Amino acid sequence: MNVPYAKKWEKETDSLRKIALDCGLTEEQKWGKCCFTLRGKNVAIVIPLKESCALAFFKGALLKDPKRILQKAGEHAQAGRWIKFTSVQEIASLRSTVAAYIREAIEIEASGKKVALKKISDYAIPEELQAELDADAKLRAAFAALTPGRRKSHIFYIASAKQAKTRVERTAKCVPLILGGRGFNERR
């Protein structure tokens, strides 16, 4: 694995790999990480982070989570959930629970269930951005042409500012990116 922090969490990654493989999943390398699949469909992935190692479930929002150990991977995460670990001992103490969660994730994937995701239209466009879109047909067309993920990146970035002045500044920062067909976090 050639990913940041992979070496630091090598033992933890190996422990999580063994649990997933014992549950009958197939291991593949995806995005430079150990990904576990069922008939070619992603079920879980091991992610070495800076301060921990995580086992992430692609449809984690559908897991029952009786032990309350699943966390959203980010503020806006809809489907994915993860369990973070900081030691092999911690993984060993939760081995049966982790295996149970993996088996449930396998059942969910085998059943074909899907996580109901919000549509881009479910997200309110900040009024500062909406004013710019209303005033500029070229910008409005460029925004509409962006992928849903790119549109969300601008909406989230602008909307996360607490003050109107900051939202105006962020909107101005986003305009050239939108016109260039890029999401907020894209670099070229």
Side-chain angles (χ1 to χ4, degrees), residues 70-90:
L70 292 175
Q71 303 169 3
K72 281 187 166 188
E75 179 185 350
H76 301 291
Q78 293 183 63
R81 299 291 185 272
W82 62 16
I83 308 168
K84 290 183 180 181
F85 300 96
T86 56
S87 71
V88 173
Q89 295 78 16
E90 188 179 8

Side-chain angles (χ1 to χ4, degrees), residues 16-29:
L16 292 168
R17 284 181 61 246
K18 287 176 186 156
I19 297 170
L21 293 171
D22 287 348
C23 290
L25 291 173
T26 302
E27 182 177 12
E28 300 180 31
Q29 285 292 308

